[in-house]
Amino acid sequence: TQLLEQSPQFLSIQEGENLTVYCNSSSVFSSLQWYRQEPGEGPVLLVTVVTGGEVKKLKRLTFQFGDARKDSSLHITAAQPGDTGLYLCAGFYYTNAGKSTFGDGTTLTVKP
Amino acid sequence: GAGVSQSPSNKVTEKGKDVELRCDPISGHTALYWYRQSLGQGLEFLIYFQGNSAPDKSGLPSDRFSAERTGGSVSTLTIQRTQQEDSAVYLCASSFQTYEQYFGPGTRLTVT
């Protein structure tokens, strides 16, 4: 069974601060996705990382896939209240019957 | 284009009654997933369809839960003899490439 651990579980910061959330596993993944979920809505795909060591930027969000493709991080620069939500990572491996493994999520609150 | 839609958006039912939850995936998406999410928690995998077949039913909590997909499109999740512990948000997702999932807004089920 492939497991993904996210940390921290909860994070509350002030607007303008930087933060990093982590997604770790002992398993290797073919790709890893990050999603953001706002209250009352379904998760929305933010990014997919595929190559070990890959870094992708989406405005103030920077995503990194570990060299061994077992872990990933999400860094947010100058957080804004609109970044508030549940951040989920999901790992995919082709032999896992087409199913992604989701972490339990990091709940981020950005206070104005 | 249209995203994933789910109906109803909210469902309140009495303990012991059966409920049907519907998911309309994005047109052309061959994979369809059902998840359950309790308040403030991560996603609990229920079942995965590739076309009309379900390679992985491992997440269904009990034999009271069943799902089908017809015509490679619409899917229905049925819960028989509902219990209070079934109260949660039920999320559906579809994908073309199985690792990038597009979620619907969910159905909030409350069992009284």
Side-chain angles (χ1 to χ4, degrees):
Chain A
T1 303
Q2 298 170 308
L3 297 176
L4 275 172
E5 294 185 354
Q6 288 190 242
S7 61
Q9 186 177 0
F10 298 96
L11 189 55
S12 180
I13 61 172
Q14 292 295 133
E15 181 176 2
E17 293 183 0
N18 301 332
L19 67 114
T20 302
V21 298
Y22 300 92
C23 177
N24 295 297
S25 176
S26 58
S27 302
V28 175
F29 292 100
S30 304
S31 68
L32 192 139
Q33 290 72 48
W34 284 92
Y35 296 82
R36 178 170 66 208
Q37 184 179 23
E38 299 184 15
E41 301 181 6
V44 174
L45 179 68
L46 295 175
V47 77
T48 292
V49 286
V50 178
T51 306
E54 182 176 5
V55 177
K56 282 192 173 179
K57 293 191 175 183
L58 184 65
K59 297 183 180 178
R60 294 176 293 101
L61 279 60
T62 301
F63 304 86
Q64 185 162 8
F65 202 13
D67 290 342
R69 291 186 287 128
K70 294 182 179 180
D71 54 83
S72 182
S73 64
L74 159 60
H75 182 78
I76 302 179
T77 303
Q80 299 178 359
D83 296 326
T84 293
L86 177 67
Y87 288 81
L88 295 159
C89 65
F92 178 82
Y93 195 75
Y94 286 105
T95 61
N96 193 22
K99 185 177 72 178
S100 291
T101 300
F102 278 83
D104 286 339
T106 294
T107 299
L108 172 64
T109 302
V110 182
K111 301 175 183 177
Chain B
V4 177
S5 61
Q6 293 186 244
S7 61
S9 55
N10 283 284
K11 177 70 176 179
V12 180
T13 190
E14 293 180 353
K15 178 181 174 181
K17 295 287 182 67
D18 298 352
V19 295
E20 285 189 353
L21 312 180
R22 176 186 170 106
C23 173
D24 283 89
I26 293 172
S27 178
H29 280 192
T30 55
L32 186 147
Y33 304 79
W34 283 99
Y35 297 90
R36 182 167 70 175
Q37 185 176 37
S38 299
L39 186 63
Q41 301 298 308
L43 304 182
E44 177 187 2
F45 170 80
L46 297 179
I47 189 170
Y48 153 62
F49 288 93
Q50 183 62 251
N52 290 335
S53 63
D56 191 346
K57 303 180 181 180
S58 63
L60 295 176
S62 73
D63 58 8
R64 296 186 296 105
F65 287 73
S66 63
E68 65 175 12
R69 188 180 186 193
T70 56
S73 181
V74 172
S75 177
T76 302
L77 177 68
T78 301
I79 309 173
Q80 296 179 311
R81 305 181 302 282
T82 52
Q83 303 294 314
Q84 288 187 330
E85 60 263 29
D86 299 334
S87 296
V89 174
Y90 290 81
L91 290 163
C92 172
S94 70
S95 68
F96 178 66
Q97 289 178 302
T98 52
Y99 53 80
E100 290 188 341
Q101 298 182 27
Y102 294 85
F103 285 82
T107 293
R108 180 175 299 278
L109 175 66
T110 303
V111 182
T112 62

